[in-house]
Amino acid sequence: AGGPFSRPISFQRRDIAPKLKPFALGAVRLGDGPFREAHRANAAYLKRLSLDSLLLSFRRNAGIPSNATPLAGWEAPTGELRGHFMGHYLSACALGYASDGDIELKQRGDAAVAALAECQSKLNQGGYLSAYPTEFYDRLQRGDTYVWAPFYTMHKMLAGLIDMHMLAGNAQALAVLTGLCGWVDRWTAQWDEAHMQRILAVEFGGMQEALYNLAALTGDDRWGRVGDRFTKKAVFNPLADARDELAGLHMNTHIPQVIGAARRYEITGDNRFHDVAHFFWHTIAQHRTYVTGGASNRENWLSNPTRLSEEYKAADSHQECCCSYNMMKLTRHLFGWEADARYIDYYERNLFNHRLGTIRADGMNEYFLSLTPGAWRVYGGETDTFWCCNGTASEEYNKLTDTIYFHDGHDLWVNLFLDSRLDWTERGLTLAQQTRFPNEPRTRLVVERAPAGALAISLRIPSWTTAQARVLVNGKTLDAAPTPGSYLRISRQWEKGDSIVLEMPMTLRTESFADDPSLQAVLYGPLVLAGQFPLGTLPPPT
């Protein structure tokens, strides 16, 4: 009868309480180790960037003079995606402040918001704000000449303003945000549904998610109704019917849309959106994911779900970094719905094999992570690339604490083995995780402040460990068999100084493509092993 989304979409708030929630970023701090080093490298790069250069195109579009040095790459003043990095930058500044108390990044974010508010006021176009003119949207709706993704770029701005308000306490960001969303409402209201669906053929990022987040933040359903206009039914209908028809589509165009579906379900309870997100995640994770956790080639799904080796062989541009960033973001939603260890196993594989390996000590990062033997790692430049993946990376490495621990309001889940410290003020628990994982196959949790009542700590027992895994409480082996691929629950009245040690034997094993068992990867625990060729022994990329 036309699919699940042939029925009318009516936005009505009915929040679905998640089973588990992440902690506020400020509740967790990273300890020393490679993740802390990645965070520091990223924060240092953000502080080296010139705010005036990032604002140049916004000011020029608003008629405000600027003598700043123009940026290059995707942020060049003539580029059609100009301005996208500013949105990422706002998010990165807010995340850096929330996760590490970085005052300089907050000050930079606040200064950027004030400058953008000035541009918005000077433009005086009903709340419009951008580094490019509204003529881009005229071209978008006419469809007679291609325009490079103006709503994609706008989404970055919306998300950045939301983060600056919610994570950095900037009230001005909310005023700028609602003004810009008012312009979006009026612009999209001009078109009937058929015309709007044609407009959605051009990448529009996570416009739904941002508008749904604004609806939840303000309690105003207006923004949810605007978000619903960005429901791309040609993609959502088969997903809601549990059909993988993704071959030929651009991967990172569509993951943000599915994240929007997940958020729509959480604030309305409409199960069609739940089914979109749930099936999408499982078909990607089970049938379209390489051993390292990433997916796609040349940014696209090039094969049917059971023919992944064909996609691998088609080119060398595997695993766009934005795709892993967004799949990990989607994973956190689904883990909140159902505390299944498979979600965190998937998250961990991406985190250690993909994300941690794509940033350099100077803060530069990659676009793709190729799986082709002998492939070069190609990093962005300081001011001359500004790829989409440079933008998502600027956020990624400022929020590395966001999935280590989850809670249900009363009890604790330990998901990832990163040296860190959790301060759960509401429950009176302070917990230090001391680990050199994966250099050592163990982690130690120490209670530094104990809650007044009993509390359960659920430890993830990763699927890659063995039956010899064991848990010790205060030096004594727990009389329980940790089952790989599950959580082990330890409930007791904790005291200051109590410790838990989780030992996770790591073994060598291989994984292969289902449709070509001759192509194999070697793993040690969660780590995919690879050899690094010395520089100069392979010809550089052309």
Side-chain angles (χ1 to χ4, degrees):
F5 286 90
S6 62
R7 302 191 303 276
I9 300 174
S10 176
F11 186 89
Q12 295 179 337
R13 286 293 301 278
R14 183 172 69 87
D15 289 351
I16 302 298
K19 294 180 180 178
L20 299 179
K21 297 179 181 180
F23 285 90
L25 288 170
V28 185
R29 287 288 187 266
L30 283 175
D32 290 336
F35 289 93
R36 182 68 178 163
E37 292 168 6
H39 170 87
R40 287 172 176 154
N42 181 58
Y45 169 61
L46 294 171
K47 294 172 185 178
R48 292 197 302 269
L49 286 172
S50 163
L51 270 181
D52 285 333
S53 292
L54 286 169
L55 289 162
L56 173 64
S57 293
F58 289 90
R59 286 170 167 157
R60 284 184 176 177
N61 190 49
I64 299 173
S66 173
N67 295 320
T69 302
L71 301 171
W74 290 14
E75 282 296 330
T78 56
E80 291 197 337
L81 222 63
R82 61 187 182 268
H84 80 105
F85 195 85
M86 174 54 79
H88 290 296
Y89 193 83
L90 292 174
S91 289
C93 288
L95 290 163
Y97 173 68
S99 69
D100 201 46
D102 195 318
I103 297 299
E104 182 178 345
L105 286 181
K106 173 175 166 49
Q107 291 171 341
R108 281 174 159 263
D110 288 342
V113 170
L116 292 167
E118 181 186 10
C119 292
Q120 187 181 49
S121 176
K122 185 69 184 299
L123 276 167
N124 193 26
Q125 294 180 350
Y128 183 73
L129 170 66
S130 185
Y132 47 80
T134 56
E135 184 266 337
F136 279 32
Y137 293 92
D138 296 335
R139 289 164 55 195
L140 177 67
Q141 70 88 13
R142 289 198 309 268
D144 51 1
T145 57
Y146 180 74
V147 59
W148 195 11
F151 274 123
Y152 170 91
T153 302
M154 181 180 286
H155 161 247
K156 310 311 171 197
M157 287 296 302
L158 300 185
L161 291 164
I162 289 172
D163 287 339
M164 279 300 300
H165 176 69
M166 295 188 68
L167 300 177
N170 187 303
Q172 189 177 32
L174 181 60
V176 175
L177 171 68
T178 52
L180 181 52
C181 288
W183 182 90
V184 175
D185 182 8
R186 291 185 292 275
W187 191 89
T188 55
Q190 299 177 84
W191 324 116
D192 61 25
E193 184 182 10
H195 191 63
M196 192 66 197
Q197 289 295 310
R198 289 195 294 274
I199 289 170
L200 300 184
V202 176
E203 186 175 8
F204 54 92
M207 286 295 296
Q208 310 130 281
E209 181 203 12
L211 288 157
Y212 295 147
N213 282 337
L214 182 59
L217 171 65
T218 61
D220 189 344
D221 287 0
R222 173 192 180 187
W223 309 120
R225 292 189 293 270
V226 180
D228 282 349
R229 295 173 192 158
F230 290 88
T231 302
K232 192 173 178 180
K233 296 184 176 181
V235 173
F236 277 21
N237 267 321
L239 290 173
D241 274 338
R243 301 196 316 272
D244 185 331
E245 298 181 0
L246 300 172
L249 297 181
H250 181 255
M251 184 172 181
N252 202 50
T253 291
H254 295 93
I255 310 172
Q257 297 174 33
V258 176
I259 295 171
R263 191 69 182 114
R264 174 61 151 77
Y265 164 70
E266 290 171 347
I267 64 175
T268 67
D270 188 326
N271 279 302
R272 292 175 293 180
F273 292 90
H274 168 281
D275 294 347
V276 166
H278 192 268
F279 174 75
F280 177 87
W281 187 93
H282 282 275
T283 194
I284 298 300
Q286 295 172 22
H287 305 301
R288 293 186 172 277
T289 293
Y290 301 118
V291 64
T292 45
S296 81
N297 199 343
R298 296 200 304 261
E299 304 185 18
N300 290 266
W301 292 296
L302 302 179
S303 68
N304 288 320
T306 57
R307 311 298 300 176
L308 189 58
S309 74
E310 295 178 359
E311 185 161 287
Y312 163 77
K313 297 171 186 176
D316 297 336
S317 299
H318 308 109
Q319 304 183 116
E320 183 187 6
C321 291
C322 283
C323 295
S324 285
Y325 166 89
N326 279 312
M327 281 300 297
M328 291 164 71
K329 186 174 179 180
L330 177 62
T331 301
R332 298 176 77 248
H333 283 275
L334 272 65
F335 180 70
W337 304 349
E338 47 181 341
D340 191 325
R342 289 178 297 174
Y343 293 123
I344 305 300
D345 281 345
Y346 171 88
Y347 192 100
E348 177 186 65
R349 189 170 287 209
N350 271 282
L351 185 63
F352 278 87
N353 293 295
H354 191 164
R355 306 309 292 129
L356 185 59
T358 52
I359 185 170
R360 212 165 52 186
D362 60 359
M364 299 300 98
N365 44 72
E366 298 179 51
Y367 197 135
F368 295 106
L369 181 62
S370 179
L371 293 174
T372 300
W376 280 71
R377 289 180 176 271
V378 179
Y379 293 87
E382 188 95 1
T383 58
D384 61 354
T385 53
F386 294 104
W387 302 320
C388 53
C389 297
N390 299 150
T392 49
S394 72
E395 300 178 33
E396 182 87 75
Y397 302 112
N398 270 5
K399 66 176 192 65
L400 293 167
T401 59
D402 68 354
T403 308
I404 304 173
Y405 310 101
F406 268 59
H407 69 93
D408 65 359
H410 188 272
D411 296 324
L412 174 68
W413 271 253
V414 179
N415 298 324
L416 298 170
F417 314 121
L418 275 64
D419 198 280
S420 55
R421 187 173 183 271
L422 167 67
D423 188 1
W424 191 359
T425 304
E426 295 81 2
R427 290 286 281 125
L429 172 70
T430 301
L431 190 75
Q433 182 171 186
Q434 303 163 349
T435 184
R436 295 186 66 247
F437 178 85
N439 293 332
E440 295 178 353
R442 66 182 60 84
T443 194
R444 182 170 184 256
L445 303 165
V446 179
V447 176
E448 295 184 344
R449 182 169 57 115
L455 179 144
I457 297 177
S458 293
L459 294 175
R460 182 174 67 94
I461 312 300
S463 61
W464 45 258
T465 193
T466 70
Q468 283 68 52
R470 66 173 185 154
V471 175
L472 297 87
V473 177
N474 295 333
K476 296 181 179 180
T477 301
L478 194 67
D479 187 18
T483 303
S486 70
Y487 279 83
L488 178 66
R489 189 173 187 267
I490 308 170
S491 182
R492 57 181 283 163
Q493 177 69 55
W494 300 96
E495 297 182 1
K496 182 179 179 180
D498 283 347
S499 69
I500 303 171
V501 173
L502 171 59
E503 296 181 349
M504 306 163 282
M506 297 164 68
T507 60
L508 284 170
R509 68 187 192 281
T510 62
E511 291 184 10
S512 62
F513 286 108
D515 60 319
D516 188 352
S518 69
L519 286 170
Q520 298 184 342
V522 181
L523 296 92
Y524 184 62
L527 304 178
V528 181
L529 303 185
Q532 180 171 325
F533 292 90
L535 287 175
T537 60
L538 290 174
T542 56

